[in-house]
Amino acid sequence: MASCFASAKIINFGSQIRSNDRIPLDSQLGFSKVSILRSANEQWIPHGLYSNGSKPLMCRSGVSSIKCVSEVVKEKKAKSGSPASNLLITKKEGLEVYEDMVLGRTFEDMCAQMYYRGKMFGFVHLYNGQEAVSTGFIKLLRNEDCVVSTYRDHVHALSKGVSARAVMSELFGKTTGCCRGQGGSMHMFSKECNLLGGFAFIGEGIPVATGAAFTMKYKREVLNENCDDVTVAFFGDGTCNNGQFFECLNMAALWKLPIIFVVENNLWAIGMSHLRATSVPEIWKKGPAFGMPGIHVDGMDVLKVREVAKEAIGRARRGEGPTLVECETYRFRGHSLADPDELRDRAEKDKYAARDPITALKKYILENNLASEAELEAKDSKIEEVVEDAVEFANASPVPSREQLLQNVFVDPKGFGIGPDGKYRCEDPKFTEGTAQV
Amino acid sequence: MSRILLRGASHGAASASIARRYLPSFWSLQNLTRSYSSSGKEITVREALNTALDEEMAADPKVFIMGEEVGEYQGAYKISKGLLDKYGPERVIDTPITEAGFAGIGVGAAYRGLRPVIEFMTFNFSMQAIDHIINSAAKSNYMSAGQLTVPIVFRGPNGAAAGVGAQHSQCYAAWYASCPGLKVLTPYSSEDTRGLLKAAIRDPDPVVFLENELLYGESFPVSDEVLDSNFVLPIGKAKIERQGKDVTITAYSKMVGYALKAAEILAKEGISAEVINLRSIRPLDTASINASVRKTNRLITVEEGFPQHGVGAEISASIVEESFEYLDAPVERIAGADIPMPYAANLERLAVPQIEDIVRAAKRVCYRAVPYAAAA
């Protein structure tokens, strides 16, 4: 553990960006402006950041595991008279965001309960603590935009619009699940909501997301369709050392694909600390190396994430190319429900627990009189009901039937080949009853 | 044993009549497939690939080609020659050297409805992308319960070339064919190549299309119907290249040519060999192989890849399961040597099956008294 503390010194930034620190740079990377942060020990480190005139963004790039300070941003927007215009979020948006995060949290807590009761099995990776990243990005997307995730995908699925019932049934392995019980916790897919998975291999989703973004560009250029959909790829800090990540940063920037690479840096890859695994722990720095902006944002604050997401998504939609966003976040539970979580420091966990994104948002909403305590509590109980209903639905749903075993392997069922009678196997009536020999 | 000797005796007369029947339709010893009227035209496998890609790209704007050197270099083996000029860089895409990356990009594009044709310079390089071929392409239709289909084709040369060493010579048919959710095709002639590539591009499932570099330059006669732009061959059906009644030889890709030559030699010695061009390794046309074995009662499987867990092992097990009583001799597997491919030319020749090996094996299954060659 000592090594983690030692390296923190180099990257311990102190100050907030002030407008007089901003120095314009040529925009060859698509930046409008670049801010220079002065660090505690006088090192000038360039940040690739967005800022558009009057709205400087608050970013910290401390990846230390010792101390992090949460600072709520109060942006001064262009005056429009009413006091609400100073806020980052309207009441409606605030409640929507709050509800989504509470749904994520409550759902994951229920998953843990169900797992220990034996209703769920295999590998289950929970998202507690990281809700701000999922909600912050996905709630700004349209239905046609695509999201690609990893094995920690329950909350991404919920934010993208897959119903809690469908996700819970899938986890229980029932046929009413979003993938009819054939995918499981790590493989959530939804064509309707454009959730392209759900991948167990880290880094696997990144090229797939890049391909989805490639399609959007192809549709515009070759098929001449109006398509300004974007793709968001979520992955973790461990993935950022994987080859596929760098391959896709290169190609996305090379071909200016409409994709946002969102790193959920929760500092731990199972038991491997990010600082022990990475030569240059600032992941946002790897963006400019490939020709795209790299941003670091406090991933425990949904409002900050939203602001960054708006810029990145807008950039991609306008055809200006990809962005790499590193969200500093934390998972309150272990890597999976099988992980005893012994390596992480109690102090570190407590520090991040104090920065719980849901509590922070609630505080912001109440302090700025966006909604009353009662309204928020009503949301809480509504979500509890939704999650309990999902569990009941999943419990009551049937398990997959025997015929389902051989279905969906191929789209073209002739893919099972020729049977001993010389005809295609799929034409054998026993095949669909699940009793044929294959 | 007497039964076999008797058969040998009667073979002389029988094989002569068979030879007479086949003789008029042979043009040369090389062109052994003749089952349709020929237009007199011959095309190389390279031309077959090029025209098939061209026609499919013209027919469907969602088809695009992606790979290393496919564009400006006109294809590492000149397969995609002329396509960049015709379709532009948005549809014929040169990639950096990032197999995992661009294979995954192809899968993502396929999820979204495009029809990518991903070229690997050789299938040895596909090992860098094998996670995407298996995990995100082959398994996705199943994991998503049919929501996400992957109409992608992974193509490229497979197997041994000439003197390219161990890392460029492996045959991947067995590896990919063991994975459910993939279709694996291995064309031999130009007709196979055209029909199967078109079928693969039109197919809604992921297809691994294993070509052979040494066949690219070989010409095969093609009929007018093969040259038609809607010519497709069914996936999962093998072709009987040569009828016979004494022994069945199954082969795929380059080994079909060797098997046909071996059949010629065997015919002179009175053994009538039936040669089956598998065409499709997954799904394997076990029905045709079984029907043939029930006729001939003997089976030899020929492949270029490593012997353990190979295609021949699968065919052998399948025949034992379904046609055990019909076998008059154990199934013989002919495969490459169980070693990484050596570089020296003479060693390389020893590491790959040759025509004499097939002939010897056929004689072994027909006359059991001949001792086996030394096992590896």
Side-chain angles (χ1 to χ4, degrees):
Chain A
M1 292 320 281
S3 58
C4 305
F5 288 73
S7 52
K9 268 197 216 135
I10 305 166
I11 47 180
N12 185 13
F13 299 134
S15 54
Q16 188 176 355
I17 304 166
R18 279 176 259 281
S19 53
N20 56 8
D21 278 348
R22 239 177 287 132
I23 296 166
L25 209 66
D26 63 284
S27 54
Q28 63 184 345
L29 294 179
F31 294 87
S32 51
K33 286 184 172 104
V34 168
S35 295
I36 308 285
L37 278 185
R38 175 178 285 157
S39 77
N41 51 1
E42 294 294 327
Q43 280 175 347
W44 288 90
I45 294 110
H47 255 251
L49 292 173
Y50 283 120
S51 47
N52 52 358
S54 59
K55 206 159 59 126
L57 287 176
M58 175 56 209
C59 287
R60 293 208 64 240
S61 71
V63 196
S64 76
S65 54
I66 319 173
K67 56 172 187 160
C68 283
V69 177
S70 173
E71 292 162 46
V72 175
V73 177
K74 291 238 160 57
E75 305 294 350
K76 297 273 180 282
K77 288 192 184 182
K79 299 281 177 281
S80 70
S82 77
S85 66
N86 282 348
L87 298 174
L88 284 168
I89 207 165
T90 65
K91 170 173 178 167
K92 179 164 168 280
E93 287 170 350
L95 287 174
E96 189 194 342
V97 164
Y98 179 79
E99 187 178 333
D100 193 56
M101 291 208 291
V102 170
L103 174 62
R105 180 69 59 87
T106 316
F107 190 92
E108 297 293 71
D109 284 337
M110 183 60 79
C111 283
Q113 262 193 60
M114 291 296 118
Y115 188 85
Y116 294 126
R117 283 192 209 171
K119 300 277 189 186
M120 240 180 254
F121 31 88
F123 288 129
V124 179
H125 306 84
L126 299 181
Y127 201 75
N128 298 49
Q130 299 181 197
E131 295 87 0
V133 180
S134 171
T135 304
F137 272 90
I138 300 182
K139 281 303 166 196
L140 291 170
L141 296 177
R142 305 196 288 239
N143 188 55
E144 299 79 39
D145 296 324
C146 296
V147 165
V148 179
S149 176
T150 59
Y151 44 75
R152 206 179 296 282
D153 56 353
H154 307 168
V155 178
H156 295 132
L158 293 169
S159 292
K160 195 66 176 55
V162 184
S163 74
R165 280 183 165 194
V167 181
M168 193 60 86
S169 300
E170 182 65 30
L171 293 169
F172 280 31
K174 301 293 176 86
T175 196
T176 46
C178 57
C179 298
R180 296 170 79 202
Q182 291 169 200
S185 164
M186 298 189 284
H187 305 296
M188 298 279 168
F189 291 86
S190 168
K191 190 179 169 113
E192 218 182 352
C193 302
N194 288 308
L195 173 69
L196 304 182
F199 291 103
F201 277 58
I202 62 149
E204 192 175 348
I206 306 178
V208 171
T210 312
F214 175 86
T215 307
M216 287 146 184
K217 181 166 174 274
Y218 190 92
K219 280 185 180 169
R220 276 200 306 268
E221 291 178 0
V222 178
L223 302 177
N224 296 316
E225 294 169 17
N226 272 333
C227 183
D228 63 348
D229 302 333
V230 304
T231 306
V232 182
F234 291 96
F235 48 93
D237 45 285
T239 310
C240 295
N241 294 324
N242 190 270
Q244 291 179 86
F245 170 61
F246 298 109
E247 291 183 12
C248 291
L249 285 183
N250 178 42
M251 287 193 273
L254 183 66
W255 297 329
K256 278 190 139 173
L257 301 180
I259 183 171
I260 302 113
F261 296 103
V262 180
V263 184
E264 294 166 329
N265 184 352
N266 55 23
L267 303 176
W268 290 90
I270 306 188
M272 190 66 171
S273 150
H274 177 60
L275 298 169
R276 279 181 71 210
T278 317
S279 56
V280 178
E282 296 91 345
I283 300 170
W284 58 266
K285 277 190 185 169
K286 302 181 189 190
F290 286 92
M292 71 179 80
I295 307 182
H296 179 282
V297 68
D298 175 5
M300 302 306 273
D301 186 325
V302 67
L303 300 174
K304 288 182 203 167
V305 174
R306 252 178 95 90
E307 289 306 304
V308 168
K310 271 187 206 159
E311 288 279 354
I313 293 171
R315 210 179 108 85
R317 264 200 228 293
R318 289 188 298 270
E320 291 167 24
T323 315
L324 175 67
V325 180
E326 179 187 352
C327 302
E328 183 195 330
T329 180
Y330 202 76
R331 52 170 163 82
F332 294 156
R333 289 180 180 263
H335 165 74
S336 71
L337 287 174
D339 175 19
D341 196 16
E342 288 159 348
L343 287 177
R344 299 194 300 175
D345 206 27
R346 183 83 238 166
E348 184 188 74
K349 291 188 207 176
D350 289 339
K351 184 183 53 188
Y352 278 99
R355 290 168 61 189
D356 187 328
I358 297 179
T359 326
L361 180 67
K362 189 166 178 178
K363 186 160 163 256
Y364 184 86
I365 289 177
L366 292 174
E367 275 177 5
N368 292 287
N369 294 317
L370 282 173
S372 66
E373 182 95 34
E375 278 174 307
L376 293 179
E377 271 170 26
K379 288 286 181 192
D380 288 341
S381 17
K382 176 181 166 205
I383 293 298
E384 268 184 45
E385 273 173 35
V386 164
V387 173
E388 275 173 25
D389 167 73
V391 172
E392 272 169 38
F393 176 78
N395 266 327
S397 297
V399 288
S401 61
R402 226 185 122 170
E403 297 89 74
Q404 212 181 301
L405 185 68
L406 298 178
Q407 287 171 3
N408 301 131
V409 178
F410 288 116
V411 177
D412 170 13
K414 295 188 197 137
F416 276 104
I418 315 285
D421 56 358
K423 294 197 291 210
Y424 281 113
R425 280 204 158 89
C426 58
E427 289 162 14
D428 175 2
K430 286 213 216 97
F431 187 84
T432 48
E433 286 164 29
T435 50
Q437 304 284 2
V438 186
Chain B
M1 293 302 115
S2 58
R3 186 166 143 257
I4 295 167
L5 286 170
L6 272 172
R7 285 188 73 195
S10 66
H11 255 177
S15 62
S17 65
I18 291 164
R20 270 200 297 278
R21 208 154 26 115
Y22 275 100
L23 208 51
S25 48
F26 285 140
W27 284 14
S28 69
L29 275 178
Q30 276 165 4
N31 302 325
L32 300 173
T33 66
R34 196 72 60 249
S35 55
Y36 36 75
S37 67
S38 51
S39 59
K41 192 155 195 265
E42 277 193 5
I43 59 172
T44 59
V45 171
R46 184 178 281 117
E47 280 164 18
L49 287 164
N50 189 277
T51 51
L53 285 169
D54 194 351
E55 287 160 20
E56 291 304 303
M57 287 181 79
D60 185 351
K62 299 203 285 290
V63 178
F64 68 92
I65 300 180
M66 184 180 253
E68 292 157 9
E69 311 293 6
V70 293
E72 291 190 9
Y73 199 78
Q74 310 297 323
Y77 296 98
K78 307 299 180 217
I79 303 297
S80 48
K81 189 168 174 180
L83 296 179
L84 175 66
D85 289 333
K86 200 164 168 187
Y87 297 104
E90 296 92 8
R91 292 185 71 192
V92 180
I93 300 150
D94 280 325
T95 61
I97 308 176
T98 47
E99 273 80 10
F102 67 73
I105 287 183
V107 173
Y111 280 7
R112 299 294 293 159
L114 298 184
R115 303 191 88 93
V117 177
I118 303 294
E119 174 173 314
F120 291 116
M121 202 180 278
T122 79
F123 260 92
N124 300 277
F125 305 165
S126 75
M127 292 197 287
Q128 305 220 318
I130 201 166
D131 173 43
H132 282 288
I133 301 175
I134 309 288
N135 276 327
S136 57
K139 297 181 183 171
S140 287
N141 195 48
Y142 192 81
M143 288 196 296
S144 71
Q147 293 176 82
L148 292 179
T149 65
V150 195
I152 194 171
V153 176
F154 297 103
R155 53 158 291 269
N158 175 55
V164 290
Q167 293 186 349
H168 281 73
S169 305
Q170 189 165 335
C171 174
Y172 290 87
W175 281 29
Y176 289 123
S178 71
C179 181
L182 276 185
K183 294 181 180 170
V184 179
L185 301 177
T186 49
Y188 162 63
S189 62
S190 304
E191 174 200 343
D192 289 352
T193 304
R194 261 184 71 83
L196 291 177
L197 185 57
K198 280 166 168 298
I201 294 175
R202 296 178 191 197
D203 196 277
D205 290 307
V207 180
V208 170
F209 194 82
L210 302 172
E211 303 154 7
N212 188 295
E213 194 214 323
L214 297 176
L215 285 176
Y216 283 159
E218 258 193 59
S219 298
F220 294 88
V222 283
S223 67
D224 289 330
E225 102 187 302
V226 172
L227 293 173
D228 182 65
S229 67
N230 275 318
F231 174 70
V232 272
L233 286 173
I235 292 180
K237 282 200 163 162
K239 180 180 181 194
I240 314 260
E241 293 281 349
R242 181 192 171 116
Q243 298 272 358
K245 59 187 200 36
D246 292 328
V247 58
T248 301
I249 307 178
T250 66
Y252 63 89
S253 192
K254 192 158 113 247
M255 292 291 122
V256 176
Y258 283 29
L260 289 168
K261 292 195 182 112
E264 273 295 298
I265 298 172
L266 289 167
K268 293 199 188 82
E269 308 202 13
I271 299 176
S272 151
E274 177 150 299
V275 176
I276 300 183
N277 174 1
L278 290 173
R279 281 183 171 174
S280 164
I281 309 294
R282 187 177 187 99
L284 197 54
D285 190 0
T286 44
S288 297
I289 305 172
N290 273 293
S292 173
V293 169
R294 288 175 185 212
K295 186 173 71 165
T296 63
N297 308 120
R298 292 157 212 280
L299 176 62
I300 301 173
T301 66
V302 186
E303 62 186 302
E304 220 180 16
F306 299 137
Q308 190 167 340
H309 307 300
V311 175
E314 171 63 30
I315 296 176
S316 176
S318 157
I319 296 300
V320 162
E321 281 166 12
E322 294 180 27
S323 305
F324 182 66
E325 319 80 53
Y326 292 85
L327 283 173
D328 283 347
V331 176
E332 285 259 354
R333 277 186 294 174
I334 298 177
D338 201 13
I339 57 171
M341 183 67 69
Y343 167 68
N346 65 321
L347 291 180
E348 191 180 28
R349 238 186 336 267
L350 290 172
V352 174
Q354 303 295 335
I355 301 174
E356 305 82 59
D357 297 319
I358 306 178
V359 170
R360 264 203 310 271
K363 287 185 186 164
R364 273 200 303 270
V365 292
C366 288
Y367 311 107
R368 294 282 278 115
V370 176
Y372 286 121

